[in-house]
């Protein structure tokens, strides 16, 4: 009875063993015999034959590293690979895992080059041998190393607030970004994953994410560019060292809009272009003066900024209620009000504003008057925009000595020069004799300094200046010494096609950048005019620039040559670092425009108002730009 049961057992076992690749001794068309063993029970023996592919080898693996938690899809390039179904395995040291033949995640039984398997969990960071087998028994004699590492630990991200435009670098701090320092042959493919967080249960069920390439700076720092966002939101940032397995924990990054269109109470100023918007710091407010919308204007509006408070979150700005106040009536504005004008220049000094020049019609000589606007303290209710006390007072400043003379489309900036409070005027244009029946416009490139305490103008002696120009933009970086920075504008080229009266020569817009040492009078060319460079802004006129954090120059808008095609791109120039421009983009920007006005209100924010989109289409919209936390500016 026992013998019968034993024979029955062998009868069942032998086919089963054969199905597990214990093949008959006859030759196999794809394999060669690797080894054989014979097991006998009494007079009954069972032979076990193990076959392998004679040319089976591992050439390379990708990735060749992964976290100790496992779950890394490893693609293996090799030779002699054949389809043996569920018998095929990979072995990570002593741990076997199933393998498949795949090409780009598609199973292909005719493929003899690619193997794929998933790394198993390992209990520590180490290097292990990776081998493959077609039958689960005989493995390749050559091996490749697979390197296990611990997931990095993320602690913070800088900046933590970023613009929705994307492609701005962030730096993540933490530990373990170098993987394992003992694994010098590990090939890392660092990535950042941005997972958008939303309270909607539907979004949580189907999370949205995007991935960018990263750079391992050190074991404690990791750098990568951001993705673009389709709105204001928080994202979870995680990192991967092998480009596939991301850290189980991450850091929160906030996407925001740089441009906010704030709500306001009171009556908005009428449409206009070539006006001035000037910031007064005591108390914080903006004063809008003049411009044109086909009719020359000399109205005055005040925008109170106390409502900004101490908030730094642009997400909150849309709820702010700015208050416009019309100071144009005779009861609110006293003294000698300037005549209606545009293309003038204005600059704030404490609680005062200086206004110089401008045109009162398109065919007369520009003004050479210097006005002082004194803004006394007042209180505005932001909900009703009703003034409760005081007024604005204009006066014509009596100066001594020579003056810059009639000017339009010039620049006027405040500067500290030799410890004196000063105004700096550069360039602009006027009408003069050009040999024709009527006068023609001509440009200037001189520099005039106005001493505020003595009310005296002086013509500054300088080295070779930029070409004469108007409709440029200028800022002053106060320091030791202070510098005047000039960008772009239009010049008259007598060799170009003659423009219509009153221009002499063709108008040619520029994109050169210069700076002037206001102590020594030395001009420095930062870069010359270049129409074909993508490394700095295109040539333009009637654009705006402001300073942020007393280091960066922020450029917006303007118009291209000839067609006056308006622009709405943003560029940033670093005056203390690499002296290069960085393209900030046009995401969420106001519409394209020129002849608008901007005013910086602190180290990271500015206000924009009005301008012109195309000839005849003027604007009166209001925007707040906030750069807080942006990597290009901080």
């Amino acid at each position: 009875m026992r013998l019968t049961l034993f024979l029955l057992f062998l009868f069942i076992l032998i086919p089963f063993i054969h199905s597990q690749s214990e093949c008959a001794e006859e030759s196999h068309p794809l394999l060669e015999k690797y080894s054989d063993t014979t097991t006998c029970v009494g007079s009954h023996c069972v032979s076990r034959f193990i076959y392998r592919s004679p040319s089976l080898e591992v050439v390379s693996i990708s990735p060749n590293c992964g976290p100790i938690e496992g779950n890394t899809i490893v693609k293996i390039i090799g030779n002699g690979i054949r389809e043996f179904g569920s018998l095929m395995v990979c072995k990570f040291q002593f741990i076997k895992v199933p393998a498949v033949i795949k090409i780009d995640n598609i199973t292909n039984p005719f493929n003899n080059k690619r193997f794929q398997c998933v790394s198993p969990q390992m209990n520590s960071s180490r290097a292990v041998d990776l081998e493959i087998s077609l039958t689960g028994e005989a493995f390749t004699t050559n091996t490749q190393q697979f390197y296990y590492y611990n997931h990095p630990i993320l602690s913070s991200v800088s900046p933590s607030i970023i613009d929705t435009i994307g492609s701005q670098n962030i730096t993540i701090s933490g530990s373990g970004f170098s993987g394992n320092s003992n694994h010098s042959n590990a090939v890392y493919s660092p990535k950042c994953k941005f997972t958008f967080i939303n309270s909607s249960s539907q979004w949580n069920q189907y999370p949205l994410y995007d991935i960018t390439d990263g750079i391992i700076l050190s074991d404690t720092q990791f750098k990568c560019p951001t993705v673009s966002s389709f709105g204001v939101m928080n994202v979870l940032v995680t990192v991967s060292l092998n480009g596939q397995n991301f850290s189980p924990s991450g850091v929160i990054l906030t996407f925001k809009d740089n441009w906010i269109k704030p709500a306001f109470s009171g009556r908005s100023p009428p449409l206009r272009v070539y006006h001035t918007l000037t910031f007064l710091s005591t108390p914080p407010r903006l004063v809008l003066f003049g411009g044109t919308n086909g009719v020359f204007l000399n109205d005055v509006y005040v925008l109170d900024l106390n409502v900004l408070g101490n908030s730094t979150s642009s997400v909150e700005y849309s709820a702010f209620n700015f208050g416009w106040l019309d100071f144009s009536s005779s009861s609110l504005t006293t003294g000698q009000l300037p005549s209606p004008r545009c293309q003038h220049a204005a600059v704030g000094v404490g609680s005062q504003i200086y206004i110089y020049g401008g045109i009162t019609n398109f065919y007369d000589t520009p003004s050479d008057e210097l006005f002082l606007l004194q803004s006394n303290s007042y209180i505005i209710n932001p909900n009703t925009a009703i003034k409760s006390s005081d007024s604005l007072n204009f006066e014509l400043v009596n100066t001594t000595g020579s003056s810059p003379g009639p000017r339009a489309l010039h620049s006027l900036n405040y500067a500290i020069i030799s410890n004196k409070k000063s105004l700096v005027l550069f360039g602009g244009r006027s009408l003069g004799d050009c040999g024709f029946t009527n006068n023609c416009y001509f440009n200037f490139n001189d520099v005039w300094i106005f001493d505020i305490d003595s009310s005296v103008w002086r013509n500054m002696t300088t080295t070779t200046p930029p070409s004469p120009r108007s409709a440029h933009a200028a800022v002053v970086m106060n320091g030791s010494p202070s510098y005047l920075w000039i960008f772009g504008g239009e010049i008259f080229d007598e060799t170009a096609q003659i423009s219509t009266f009153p221009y002499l020569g063709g108008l040619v817009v520029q994109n050169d950048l210069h700076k002037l040492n206001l102590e020594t009078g030395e001009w420095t060319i930062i870069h010359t005019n270049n129409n074909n460079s993508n490394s700095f802004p295109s040539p333009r006129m009637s654009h705006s620039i402001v300073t942020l954090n007393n280091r960066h120059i922020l450029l917006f808008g303007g118009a291209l040559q000839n067609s006056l095609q308006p622009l709405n791109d943003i560029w940033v120039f670093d005056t203390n670092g690499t002296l290069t421009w960085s393209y900030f983009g046009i995401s969420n920007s106001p519409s394209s425009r020129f002849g608008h006005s901007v005013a910086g209100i602190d180290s990271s924010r500015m206000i924009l108002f009005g301008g012109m989109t195309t000839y005849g289409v003027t604007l009166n919209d209001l925007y707040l730009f906030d750069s807080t936390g942006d990597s290009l500016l901080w």
Side-chain angles (χ1 to χ4, degrees):
M1 180 65 180
R2 291 182 179 178
L3 180 59
T4 302
L5 291 175
F6 177 74
L7 293 176
L8 180 60
F9 172 75
L10 290 180
F11 178 77
I12 296 172
L13 180 63
I14 290 173
F16 176 77
I17 295 175
H18 184 274
S19 68
Q20 298 301 310
S21 88
E22 291 171 338
C23 305
E25 189 173 2
E26 64 269 14
S27 62
H28 193 286
L30 300 179
L31 304 176
E32 68 175 7
K33 188 165 67 172
Y34 171 63
S35 68
D36 62 79
T37 59
T38 302
T39 303
C40 296
V41 179
S43 60
H44 299 278
C45 297
V46 176
S47 295
R48 174 186 173 93
F49 302 99
I50 300 176
Y51 288 84
R52 69 177 181 185
S53 173
S55 58
L56 184 64
E57 64 176 343
V58 178
V59 176
S60 64
I61 62 174
S62 177
N64 74 342
C65 57
I68 62 173
E69 290 82 358
N71 205 36
T72 301
I73 299 175
V74 182
K75 297 180 179 179
I76 301 164
I77 305 297
N79 292 313
I81 297 174
R82 301 291 187 270
E83 173 62 54
F84 273 76
S86 61
L87 299 180
M88 301 182 298
V89 296
C90 291
K91 185 167 67 173
F92 292 76
Q93 196 163 330
F94 304 112
I95 303 175
K96 295 180 182 180
V97 294
V100 293
I101 292 179
K102 283 197 173 183
I103 297 180
D104 298 326
N105 293 324
I106 300 175
T107 301
N108 183 351
F110 300 101
N111 160 47
N112 64 351
K113 294 290 185 182
R114 296 192 184 184
F115 221 51
Q116 182 173 299
C117 54
V118 178
S119 66
Q121 184 175 348
M122 200 63 62
N123 59 9
S124 64
S125 175
R126 68 177 77 174
V128 300
D129 290 335
L130 173 57
E131 306 168 72
I132 64 174
S133 172
L134 301 182
T135 63
E137 298 289 348
F139 287 86
T140 47
T141 55
N142 72 315
T143 63
Q144 290 285 331
Q145 294 268 283
F146 185 84
Y147 303 94
Y148 280 96
Y149 57 79
N150 292 304
H151 267 304
I153 299 174
L154 284 60
S155 58
S156 64
V157 59
S158 178
S160 60
I161 302 174
I162 207 79
D163 184 60
T164 56
I165 190 173
S167 299
Q168 300 175 64
N169 287 325
I170 57 173
T171 301
I172 301 169
S173 298
S175 61
F177 295 123
S178 297
N180 189 316
S181 58
N182 296 325
H183 299 167
S184 60
N185 292 325
V187 179
Y188 295 116
S189 178
K191 305 282 184 183
C192 281
K193 182 165 74 171
F194 299 82
T195 304
F196 297 94
I197 302 171
N198 190 284
S199 58
S200 167
S201 59
Q202 182 178 0
W203 280 34
N204 288 335
Q205 185 178 0
Y206 304 103
L208 301 175
Y209 68 86
D210 208 344
I211 295 173
T212 63
D213 292 329
I215 300 174
I216 299 172
L217 300 178
S218 67
D219 190 62
T220 59
Q221 286 196 318
F222 194 98
K223 178 181 178 181
C224 57
T226 61
V227 298
S228 59
S229 170
F230 45 82
V232 177
M233 63 177 63
N234 292 328
V235 301
L236 178 68
V237 184
T238 53
V239 302
S240 171
L241 299 185
N242 65 0
Q244 184 181 139
N245 303 99
F246 287 86
S247 54
S249 62
V251 290
I252 299 297
L253 179 69
T254 300
F255 279 97
K256 68 177 182 65
D257 289 333
N258 283 110
W259 289 103
I260 300 296
K261 197 169 185 179
F264 59 84
S265 59
R267 184 170 66 91
S268 177
L271 305 167
R272 67 191 65 209
V273 63
Y274 289 121
H275 49 284
T276 54
L277 185 70
T278 310
F279 175 65
L280 294 177
S281 58
T282 312
R285 60 209 182 281
L286 293 168
V287 177
L288 176 71
F289 173 75
T292 183
N293 53 20
V295 176
F296 287 82
L297 305 169
N298 67 341
D299 51 354
V300 182
Y301 284 80
V302 173
L303 183 66
D304 182 72
L305 297 179
N306 282 321
V307 71
L308 285 174
N310 296 318
S311 174
T312 59
S313 173
S314 67
V315 177
E316 300 174 14
Y317 291 158
S318 59
F320 285 171
N321 193 6
F322 292 5
W324 277 115
L325 191 67
D326 185 357
F327 273 73
S328 300
S329 69
S330 58
S331 62
L332 299 179
T333 304
T334 61
Q336 184 177 349
L337 184 67
S339 59
R341 66 190 60 207
C342 69
Q343 299 181 0
H344 54 283
V347 62
V349 182
S351 61
Q352 300 175 325
I353 295 177
Y354 287 89
I355 300 172
Y356 190 88
I359 60 173
T360 56
N361 68 61
F362 289 112
Y363 300 104
D364 283 347
T365 300
S367 167
D368 62 353
E369 300 166 311
L370 177 65
F371 284 92
L372 172 63
L373 184 155
Q374 181 69 47
S375 174
N376 299 314
S377 61
Y378 62 90
I379 300 173
I380 291 180
N381 183 327
N383 294 317
T384 62
I386 296 176
K387 181 181 89 58
S388 62
S389 66
D390 234 329
S391 62
L392 303 176
N393 183 70
F394 282 95
E395 64 177 86
L396 181 64
V397 179
N398 293 318
T399 63
T400 59
S402 301
S403 73
R407 300 286 171 115
L409 295 175
H410 50 290
S411 59
L412 187 68
N413 298 92
Y414 172 69
I416 301 296
I417 304 175
S418 300
N419 296 319
K420 294 182 178 181
K421 295 187 294 183
S422 307
L423 305 182
V424 181
L425 185 149
F426 172 78
R429 71 185 184 192
S430 186
L431 280 172
D433 185 4
C434 56
F436 291 85
T437 303
N438 297 304
N439 289 337
C440 299
Y441 280 126
F442 57 92
N443 281 335
F444 298 93
N445 62 350
D446 50 355
V447 179
W448 287 82
I449 307 297
F450 180 76
D451 187 303
I452 291 177
D453 293 332
S454 64
S455 295
V456 174
W457 284 104
R458 66 178 175 90
N459 191 350
M460 187 179 194
T461 300
T462 70
T463 58
T464 304
S467 56
R469 67 192 59 209
S470 56
H472 57 279
V475 293
V476 165
M477 295 282 188
N478 281 306
S480 299
S482 298
Y483 283 96
L484 174 72
W485 295 79
I486 303 290
F487 178 81
E490 61 182 12
I491 66 172
F492 296 139
D493 182 358
E494 297 183 15
T495 65
Q497 182 179 358
I498 300 297
S499 300
T500 58
F501 171 81
Y503 303 108
L504 176 63
L507 292 177
V508 180
V509 294
Q510 306 291 294
N511 65 346
D512 49 349
L513 180 66
H514 305 258
K515 72 172 182 178
L516 172 67
N517 186 318
L518 292 173
E519 296 292 343
T520 66
E522 180 183 4
W523 280 104
T524 302
I525 301 175
I526 306 302
H527 62 74
T528 57
N529 194 59
N530 190 327
N531 291 315
N532 301 314
S533 175
N534 293 322
S535 60
F536 44 84
S538 59
R540 63 193 65 203
M541 55 168 282
S542 300
H543 48 286
S544 62
I545 59 176
V546 296
T547 60
L548 297 176
N549 56 57
N550 204 40
R551 169 174 174 172
H552 294 95
I553 295 174
L554 184 74
L555 179 149
F556 173 76
L560 296 175
Q561 188 171 341
N562 299 327
S563 65
L564 290 181
Q565 176 185 344
L567 303 166
N568 69 339
D569 52 345
I570 306 174
W571 291 78
V572 175
F573 184 82
D574 187 351
T575 64
N576 290 352
T578 59
L579 296 180
T580 57
W581 288 98
S582 297
Y583 179 62
F584 205 98
I586 58 174
S587 175
N588 301 310
S589 290
S591 58
S592 300
R593 65 191 64 203
F594 64 95
H596 54 280
S597 189
V598 300
I601 60 176
D602 58 23
S603 62
S604 61
R605 294 178 289 183
M606 75 174 185
I607 298 286
L608 176 148
F609 181 84
M612 178 175 286
T613 57
T614 57
Y615 268 120
V617 181
T618 50
L619 303 165
N620 67 341
D621 47 356
L622 179 72
Y623 284 89
L624 170 69
F625 179 87
D626 178 33
S627 68
T628 304
D630 283 302
S631 59
L632 285 178
L633 297 166
W634 297 97

